[in-house]
Amino acid sequence: MESVTVEAQIDALLAQMTLAEKVGQMCQVPISHPELDERIRRGEVGSVIYSGTPLPGTGPQPPASAARLNYLQRIAVEESRMRIPVLFGRDVLHGYKTVAPIPLGMATSWSPDVVRSVCRVAAREASADGIRWTFAPMLDIARDPRWGRIAEGFGEDPFLCSALADAAIRGFQGDELSDPDSVLACPKHYAAYGAAEGGRDYNAVEVTTATLRNVYLPPFHAAIRAGAGSIMSAFPEIGGVPITANRALLTDILKEEWGFDGFVISDWAAVDELRYHGVAADRAGAALLAAQAGVDMDMASDVYADELAGLVEAGRLPEAVIDAAVRRVLRAKFRLGLFDRPYTDEQRSAIHLHPDHLRIVRDAAARSLVLLKNDGILPLAKAGLTIGIFGPLANARRTLFGAWTLDGDEASVVSIADRIRAAVDRSVTIRTAELVDDALTRARHCDVVIAVVGEGVSRSGEDHCVTTLDLPPGQQAFLDALHALQVPTVVVVLAGRPLALEPVHRSAAAILMAWHPGTEGAQAIVDVLFGDTVPSGKLPVTFPRTVGQVPLYYNHKPTGRPLPPGDRRHSRYTDHLDSPLYPFGYGLSYTHFEYSNLHIIREDGPAVTVRAEVTNTGPRAGEEIAQLYVRDLVASISRPVKELKGFARLALAPGETQTVSFRLTRDDLSFYNAEGKRVFEPGEFAVWIGPDSSRGLAGTFVIDPDGA
Ligand code: GLC
């Protein structure tokens, strides 16, 4: 019934709208535009992006407010001719006022529940200020940590990213998109943006059809299947065709093959950038290419506003193309309930930083932490110690938010140093220092040093790519000097990307990777350092030993000279180990888990159940994320050495054993071939169940051509 009345209402609106009003719905205008009120009054604004600059993720932004948005909405609904409500959008990636860990940190939880809860909190808080559309989740698979935007996504694996994509869409859009506290999701950046050459933002992408289909598209397909109501096209070109003008991606696959009935928005000014890509001679040509490709809304370039009507009037663009785009935009507005309830209750902002929200992001932060090394020094005692707290980020607050935090208030964040002070017993002596030489002098009198190092926000996010993965200048020298003093050091790393921590691994007693952990991140870190929380995070991305290994990822191809070395040469470097420092899926606990008794049970037809037992053999209760990997040993194209096909979190008491069981179906074992066709090819498969992508109980099974 919904689709009939909505489509009928859209038909009625389209029949009354002028061409200019239709084009207006295809235009998103920044909140900072000097003539915004007038343009809304003339029906020329379909959406307002609540950002003042092209790089909102890197600096302070004008705060949104329900009062301001209601004022603008009244102009649209009560003064414009068609009275079509405006859709207000903002980048709300990992929290609004209550800030969660960066998405790469959230992915470390391997928990769809964590992601869904965080996105639900973000939707509640953003919609309270009138924001009903978020440009999130970011679903770009990233295999190159030099790329600053690796921070914004869920890591290197399509299976994990797809599971978290589904959760994010459901979190943002809620059970009913028309609920006032739901926001329209906008998976981005469709697609393969993370494959930019050299890890340089906006750079060209060269991926084969099979790689595009098997690696970069699955998370977006999962998001569409979860009901995402919009999607954002990416900046780069793929194989010479800019995505903003790429009909094969935006229409043939997205709208026709996948049946996406939402709308496509370009990235910021990307329609105009078709001229710089060298595929459009002028703005009219850019507008024509983007509209024909399937971009339904132009973000901030005004190319559609200036050129589309002229293209239709000149007979170069059928008005049917405009109608189809406007239909998609209006459909989203109806589904959001904007026609029925265009205004925001201005009292709702009282839910910002609600205690329930803080609890959810604290849990997310706890699960985002990865224990990378521990010689036994952790967990620390809370009494009777002299503890040094040093390092450039020990007192950091805003840095804890990470990239793409437009609305978090620094006043709501407590530093790691202050959280440590509050956690320990009065018998503990805390030593701190501003200067490195003072820190070294005081470190000598400490039983243990907690060194908080890593990246500030300026190295993370959009347009923040780097050529080195080393700690920022001076930090490694400080850690080496501490090591020379033979003071046991626990290193806490804050960063928006994997860093080359091999030197740290050589000298530190323990390493805790904390990413940028959000409003409650410092408390979560302290809870782990002193044992109130047992760490359970697992890496969603490979940590290389050195930047020279990049791109380095677990689901790589075997090559004709595979690792580990056989009797022939293999793909390697002469000057460094080939292996990662920490592999995808890796993470330690304060207890130990053992895997045993792998069983492979064949079912009728091409389905297989793979089981194993996991035992907590250590002294404490803990949670283990057991992982299932598969390899298609012989196929029509070379297939990865391993692919994640399942994971499960097990909470185990000391000595407890649980069975973990995964079912593999024909679809789980299918892939896209060189022609982009999805195929299932019988044959022999290898399978592993284990703690990460480098280890596990191994087995094989065969599926015959008749599926037996
Ligand atoms: C930026 C980003 C995109 C963001 C948009 C709006 O350039 O690429 O992720 O959503 O502009 O801020």
Side-chain angles (χ1 to χ4, degrees):
M1 193 52 191
E2 175 262 4
S3 61
V4 171
T5 54
V6 164
E7 298 309 312
Q9 292 180 77
I10 294 171
D11 290 340
L13 286 173
L14 284 171
Q16 301 167 53
M17 292 166 80
T18 65
L19 178 57
E21 287 163 338
K22 292 176 182 176
V23 169
Q25 290 303 308
M26 299 171 71
C27 299
Q28 182 179 67
V29 179
I31 188 73
S32 54
H33 195 288
E35 294 173 27
L36 181 61
D37 294 24
E38 268 316 299
R39 294 187 68 176
I40 292 175
R41 191 169 284 112
R42 293 196 298 266
E44 295 174 2
V45 179
S47 170
V48 171
I49 173 170
Y50 217 101
S51 295
T53 65
L55 287 177
T58 59
Q61 284 296 320
S65 80
R68 172 96 169 102
L69 271 56
N70 280 339
Y71 160 79
L72 295 171
Q73 194 69 291
R74 277 192 193 88
I75 296 173
V77 171
E78 298 174 24
E79 298 179 31
S80 80
R81 193 181 79 87
M82 289 304 301
R83 304 184 184 293
I84 295 172
V86 168
L87 177 53
F88 294 101
R90 191 167 172 91
D91 293 282
V92 183
L93 255 79
H94 54 106
Y96 188 72
K97 292 292 185 187
T98 304
V99 181
I102 56 171
L104 193 58
M106 282 201 280
T108 305
S109 71
W110 290 50
S111 169
D113 288 345
V114 161
V115 169
R116 183 169 182 164
S117 303
V118 164
C119 293
R120 192 87 287 272
V121 163
R124 280 201 196 101
E125 293 195 352
S127 60
D129 276 351
I131 301 294
R132 295 295 311 277
W133 185 17
T134 178
F135 308 119
M138 194 270 215
L139 301 179
D140 298 308
I141 294 294
R143 295 169 155 179
D144 192 330
R146 295 171 295 179
W147 189 47
R149 307 202 74 166
I150 193 171
E152 302 173 40
F154 293 133
E156 74 187 42
D157 179 73
F159 184 90
L160 176 61
C161 188
S162 296
L164 301 182
D166 178 271
I169 302 306
R170 297 177 193 283
F172 282 127
Q173 299 194 164
D175 296 333
E176 285 298 330
L177 189 54
S178 59
D179 287 347
D181 63 2
S182 291
V183 299
L184 190 69
C186 186
K188 68 185 184 181
H189 307 79
Y190 178 75
Y193 184 10
E197 276 188 351
R200 286 203 311 279
D201 218 341
Y202 319 119
N203 205 3
V205 169
E206 291 290 353
V207 290
T208 62
T209 297
T211 299
L212 179 69
R213 288 271 194 172
N214 290 316
V215 176
Y216 293 99
L217 291 188
F220 291 99
H221 199 182
I224 299 310
R225 286 199 301 269
S230 71
I231 193 167
M232 184 185 296
S233 56
F235 284 124
E237 55 133 281
I238 290 190
V241 182
I243 294 166
T244 311
N246 195 315
R247 184 176 174 82
L249 268 176
L250 300 181
T251 294
D252 300 348
I253 293 177
L254 177 64
K255 294 178 178 177
E256 291 176 5
E257 182 182 327
W258 291 355
F260 175 59
D261 70 354
F263 68 95
V264 176
I265 184 167
S266 74
D267 205 333
W268 186 288
V271 174
D272 191 35
E273 290 178 5
L274 292 175
R275 296 189 292 148
Y276 307 114
H277 277 289
V279 297
D282 51 31
R283 287 164 64 85
L288 185 59
L289 283 175
Q292 288 175 327
V295 175
D296 302 306
M297 186 179 283
D298 167 12
M299 179 186 283
S301 84
D302 268 350
V303 167
Y304 274 13
D306 297 342
E307 303 296 343
L308 277 186
L311 288 167
V312 173
E313 285 150 3
R316 295 177 63 191
L317 181 70
E319 186 160 356
V321 172
I322 305 293
D323 290 350
V326 175
R327 176 177 296 279
R328 288 173 179 268
V329 173
L330 293 178
R331 183 182 293 142
K333 292 185 176 182
F334 274 109
R335 286 175 174 169
L336 274 163
L338 286 181
F339 284 90
D340 296 330
R341 277 190 315 278
Y343 305 118
T344 301
D345 170 358
E346 297 177 20
Q347 307 310 312
R348 282 185 52 208
S349 54
I351 59 159
H352 290 161
L353 291 167
H354 188 282
D356 288 349
H357 296 178
L358 292 171
R359 179 181 50 74
I360 285 169
V361 297
R362 179 170 167 181
D363 176 62
R367 295 177 186 282
S368 75
L369 307 177
V370 196
L371 185 60
L372 297 176
K373 180 183 179 184
N374 183 21
D375 69 0
I377 192 169
L378 290 180
L380 299 173
K382 287 185 180 178
L385 290 176
T386 297
I387 300 176
I389 308 172
F390 304 122
L393 297 177
N395 297 300
R397 290 164 58 199
R398 175 151 190 81
T399 300
L400 296 175
F401 283 150
W404 288 98
T405 301
L406 280 59
D407 300 287
D409 296 326
E410 186 169 355
S412 64
V413 191
V414 177
S415 71
I416 293 169
D418 285 343
R419 287 295 191 201
I420 293 172
R421 289 190 183 90
V424 297
D425 183 85
R426 294 162 57 88
S427 63
V428 168
T429 301
I430 297 286
R431 307 296 297 265
T432 62
E434 289 299 317
L435 301 175
V436 167
D437 47 5
D438 291 345
L440 293 174
T441 304
R442 293 169 194 162
R444 305 171 77 101
H445 307 292
C446 294
D447 300 306
V448 61
V449 164
I450 297 170
V452 187
V453 298
E455 293 182 319
V457 174
S458 64
R459 278 170 55 102
S460 201
E462 182 176 358
D463 196 25
H464 288 154
C465 302
V466 293
T467 59
T468 172
L469 298 177
D470 297 340
L471 286 169
Q475 295 184 21
Q476 188 60 51
F478 173 60
L479 295 177
D480 292 344
L482 281 175
H483 185 56
L485 293 174
Q486 296 183 349
V487 178
T489 300
V490 175
V491 178
V492 177
V493 181
L494 302 182
R497 58 164 49 87
L499 294 177
L501 298 176
E502 195 168 43
V504 185
H505 187 86
R506 280 197 288 267
S507 63
I511 304 171
L512 185 68
M513 184 69 202
W515 310 105
H516 289 126
T519 305
E520 289 293 305
Q523 187 58 60
I525 290 167
V526 169
D527 288 345
V528 166
L529 292 179
F530 292 95
D532 295 322
T533 299
V534 176
S536 63
K538 299 272 189 170
L539 292 179
V541 65
T542 298
F543 273 53
R545 297 174 184 276
T546 170
V547 70
Q549 291 178 285
V550 168
L552 186 70
Y553 46 93
Y554 89 93
N555 46 357
H556 61 80
K557 295 304 187 64
T559 80
R561 297 185 175 193
L563 293 166
D567 57 0
R568 293 168 298 160
R569 293 194 302 279
H570 58 280
S571 176
R572 65 174 177 174
Y573 302 100
T574 55
D575 60 354
H576 221 105
L577 293 175
D578 316 304
S579 59
L581 181 62
Y582 308 116
F584 173 83
Y586 172 85
L588 300 177
S589 172
Y590 289 155
T591 186
H592 303 284
F593 301 100
E594 276 186 18
Y595 289 71
S596 58
N597 298 329
L598 180 79
H599 287 295
I600 300 172
I601 301 102
R602 285 303 313 274
E603 301 176 20
D604 294 343
V608 173
T609 293
V610 188
R611 287 199 188 115
E613 291 180 341
V614 184
T615 302
N616 179 345
T617 56
R620 302 177 62 128
E623 296 189 356
E624 169 72 340
I625 299 168
Q627 300 154 42
L628 172 75
Y629 294 90
V630 175
R631 178 180 180 179
D632 189 342
L633 292 170
V634 179
S636 56
I637 59 172
S638 176
R639 306 282 295 117
V641 295
K642 272 187 183 180
E643 292 181 291
L644 180 72
K645 293 294 182 184
F647 57 90
R649 176 183 290 271
L650 305 173
L652 295 169
E656 183 182 2
T657 296
Q658 287 183 23
T659 297
V660 64
S661 181
F662 301 100
R663 186 165 185 271
L664 286 168
T665 65
R666 181 193 187 94
D667 189 58
D668 297 323
L669 301 173
S670 298
F671 63 95
Y672 289 92
N673 64 17
E675 291 70 45
K677 185 167 171 296
R678 189 159 180 81
V679 295
F680 168 72
E681 297 181 355
E684 186 176 14
F685 296 83
V687 65
W688 296 263
I689 293 183
D692 61 54
S693 60
S694 71
R695 296 174 292 149
L697 302 175
T700 61
F701 60 88
V702 173
I703 294 184
D704 298 326
D706 60 5

